[in-house]
Amino acid sequence: MRTRELLRLRNTGHPGINSLFAKAHSADWDFERDVDWRTPIAADDPLVAHGFAAYGRTPTFQALPERVKAHATRRAVGRLLNILQVGESVAQNVCARLVLELREEDYRNHAAAQAMDEARHHLAYRRFIDAMNEDVEDIDAGTEMMFDALLSTKDPLDLIASEQFFLESLAMSIFESLREEATHPLLRRIIELITRDESRHMGFGVLYVAEWMRQQPLDGRIAFARQWLPQILGSLLDRPGPILLGRVIRRLREAGLENADELRPQLLREQQAINAADLAAAASGEKVPHLLKSARRAGLLAPEILEALGIADQPLIRGALRGATEVEVAS
Ligand SMILES: [Fe+2]
Ligand SMILES: [Fe+2]
């Protein structure tokens, strides 16, 4: 980037994206002042309702001794917070890169404001993990590979589609359930503040992709949807299975439950029934996941695209179209 290019910075005039920058200031929060960090975290506090974690809603898990459940749930939350804290650092890098790569004034401004939000989120999660005062579980190899791929990406469309459009829509559903299920007031507070920022970030992803799609011929739109819809559907269909169960069993053993391994088949069976019910709720349109709402709002679920990809009858897609409310269509 040269000075001459900065002299020619163009504002796209997109009202939604321009207003995100103003909102980043008016909805600002102070990491020190708006969070009461003096709230203690007891060593045996599960931090969230047991139903939040994978397998936590199964009758078998619910019938376990409180001490065992508390350990397993807290370990699951610790691991998630560890993924989130490093995910925030990745998002900060993505935004820093976007500031350098984007040529549109309003898009750059959003990325700069988001970079500061992500720095604050990282600090909040880090500080909460420190207050938990334990070694949290490491992140998994799949997540690390995905973050590494993102860190080596340079193209703004790829960056925004991966981070703001895909990952932040995925994360929004996690934040919503975490906010509902958090039992510790400090955790609930930071999630509430962070979610406020994340909905702006996701909004940028949707508006950017929608704008890009609008300018593409049909072939380009189909190619983009062909790249992203399978990933979106894949991540929604990926429900708790044997890998997560392995972690749950390990945590139960750590808590001293000697017959933990014997519970495997029944935990898996009960969780599979829960998975099926969750997917049915998404397919009915009763609870449309943010990933599909974002896909719809960005134009990926247009009839001509679904027809070209041959997925118009996919149950989750049908649910997303059925669940479209007037408000969302208008926005
Ligand atoms: Fe964030
Ligand atoms: Fe974010």
Side-chain angles (χ1 to χ4, degrees):
M1 179 78 85
R2 313 274 304 193
T3 310
R4 279 287 134 193
E5 292 172 74
L6 288 175
L7 272 170
R8 287 193 295 266
L9 269 190
R10 181 181 72 92
N11 193 300
T12 69
H14 191 298
I17 291 179
N18 274 283
S19 79
L20 286 173
F21 186 64
K23 275 190 208 145
H25 295 83
S26 58
D28 206 10
W29 53 279
D30 186 315
F31 167 71
E32 296 288 352
R33 198 190 52 218
D34 296 322
V35 181
D36 185 1
W37 291 104
R38 294 165 308 176
T39 316
I41 303 177
D44 59 352
D45 187 333
L47 310 170
V48 299
H50 298 308
F52 173 74
Y55 293 88
R57 282 188 280 158
T58 60
T60 300
F61 184 92
Q62 305 233 319
L64 294 172
E66 196 52 44
R67 181 186 52 80
V68 172
K69 286 193 283 188
H71 175 81
T73 300
R74 183 183 172 106
R75 295 300 281 167
V77 174
R79 177 174 169 278
L80 173 64
L81 293 177
N82 200 19
I83 294 174
L84 291 174
Q85 67 86 8
V86 72
E88 300 294 351
S89 298
V90 172
Q92 194 184 356
N93 277 40
V94 166
C95 291
R97 171 91 72 191
L98 284 172
V99 172
L100 299 177
E101 300 291 331
L102 287 166
R103 293 294 185 269
E104 297 84 1
E105 180 186 59
D106 42 343
Y107 296 0
R108 278 164 45 100
N109 288 348
H110 166 80
Q114 183 179 339
M116 203 191 79
D117 291 342
E118 307 299 13
R120 179 171 53 198
H121 301 170
H122 167 79
L123 281 176
Y125 288 130
R126 227 8 303 162
R127 191 147 165 189
F128 188 87
I129 291 171
D130 289 346
M132 285 172 69
N133 196 27
E134 68 189 42
D135 284 334
V136 289
E137 292 178 11
D138 200 2
I139 70 168
D140 54 285
T143 303
E144 186 165 355
M145 274 166 58
M146 179 189 64
F147 285 159
D148 278 340
L150 196 46
L151 289 170
S152 64
T153 301
K154 291 199 174 61
D155 176 64
L157 176 67
D158 287 343
L159 284 167
I160 296 168
S162 305
E163 175 67 44
Q164 282 96 339
F165 177 70
F166 179 78
L167 282 179
E168 301 200 285
S169 298
L170 176 70
M172 188 54 70
S173 293
I174 298 173
F175 295 137
E176 281 183 355
S177 70
L178 197 47
R179 199 176 46 185
E180 271 166 37
E181 305 272 2
T183 49
H184 193 281
L186 179 52
L187 180 61
R188 205 168 46 230
R189 178 66 177 152
I190 62 176
I191 295 296
E192 178 188 296
L193 291 166
I194 289 172
T195 307
R196 226 157 69 185
D197 298 338
E198 297 299 356
S199 70
R200 282 197 308 279
H201 305 168
M202 182 181 75
F204 173 73
V206 169
L207 294 175
Y208 183 93
V209 172
E211 197 54 34
W212 183 87
M213 291 282 276
R214 215 175 50 80
Q215 295 170 14
Q216 291 298 304
L218 182 59
D219 282 359
R221 294 193 290 137
I222 291 171
F224 184 86
R226 180 171 283 128
Q227 183 188 352
W228 286 101
L229 282 179
Q231 289 200 51
I232 288 173
L233 292 171
S235 86
L236 294 173
L237 293 166
D238 180 25
R239 316 304 288 193
I243 296 178
L244 275 180
L245 179 57
R247 282 193 205 119
V248 173
I249 299 291
R250 195 182 62 227
R251 292 168 189 147
L252 298 180
R253 275 201 304 257
E254 282 167 7
L257 191 75
E258 290 182 1
N259 69 339
D261 276 292
E262 293 164 24
L263 302 178
R264 247 176 226 274
Q266 68 198 72
L267 279 167
L268 190 59
R269 201 171 50 240
E270 289 166 9
Q271 182 62 44
Q272 280 165 346
I274 292 169
N275 295 345
D278 287 349
L279 285 174
S284 72
E286 168 199 333
K287 203 174 175 193
V288 178
H290 280 286
L291 272 169
L292 283 172
K293 283 189 195 164
S294 294
R296 193 183 64 225
R297 291 179 60 201
L300 275 72
L301 305 190
E304 61 275 22
I305 292 178
L306 296 179
E307 195 186 324
L309 300 182
I311 53 172
D313 283 332
Q314 208 285 340
L316 292 177
I317 300 270
R318 287 197 0 225
L321 294 172
R322 202 174 292 142
T325 64
E326 310 254 302
V327 178
E328 281 164 10
V329 170
S331 66

